[in-house]
Amino acid sequence: QVQLAESGGGLAQAGGSLSLSCSASRRTASNNAMAWFRQAPGNERELVAAVPYRVGSTYYADDVKGRFTISRDSARNTLSLQMNSLKPEDTAVYYCAVARGSVVSSYLRDYIYWGQGTQVTVSG
């Protein structure tokens, strides 16, 4: 089983920035998409951003477009999320995940490996 470890969460003020990183214990299989999800208190886990392994378009949720940037370094087995212009509504636990295939999906059941999550808190 692939093990994922997230880091970079913490406390930020509105308008500030944070950078999240996800490190895998080994190289993921070819054609596996990867994604960042988040879950706020009382809410369901939702897709924030996703990137295919090699071919395809990067996905961003509407409320993070222009503010967040997802990137993947397959050679180093890492996935990053640069978060700028943070808002209090970005407060959530953020999870790194690996999909079964290469196609980006918003369904939790299509992801086979998950990190433990890292807390992001944005003060108003």
Side-chain angles (χ1 to χ4, degrees):
Q1 180 177 335
V2 173
Q3 294 179 323
L4 305 175
E6 297 113 329
S7 63
L11 178 65
Q13 293 187 336
S17 299
L18 285 173
S19 182
L20 306 183
S21 181
C22 171
S23 298
S25 60
R26 52 173 161 162
R27 293 182 181 274
T28 56
S30 62
N31 297 319
N32 287 104
M34 296 187 70
W36 286 99
F37 286 78
R38 68 184 179 187
Q39 186 169 20
N43 293 345
E44 296 183 349
R45 194 168 299 183
E46 63 177 357
L47 179 63
V48 176
V51 62
Y53 177 65
R54 290 180 177 177
V55 179
S57 299
T58 301
Y59 168 87
Y60 293 98
D62 287 342
D63 58 349
V64 306
K65 286 182 179 178
R67 299 189 298 119
F68 291 9
T69 302
I70 188 172
S71 60
R72 177 175 182 168
D73 188 339
S74 296
R76 293 184 171 90
N77 300 331
T78 58
L79 182 73
S80 299
L81 185 68
Q82 178 64 46
M83 305 185 293
N84 298 324
S85 302
L86 285 166
K87 303 175 181 179
E89 49 263 45
D90 295 319
T91 296
V93 177
Y94 284 71
Y95 299 89
C96 174
V98 179
R100 286 191 179 91
S102 62
V103 179
V104 169
S105 172
S106 62
Y107 295 103
L108 273 65
R109 64 176 179 270
D110 289 330
Y111 293 82
I112 57 176
Y113 300 117
W114 293 85
Q116 83 289 346
T118 184
Q119 177 71 49
V120 171
T121 302
V122 183
S123 62

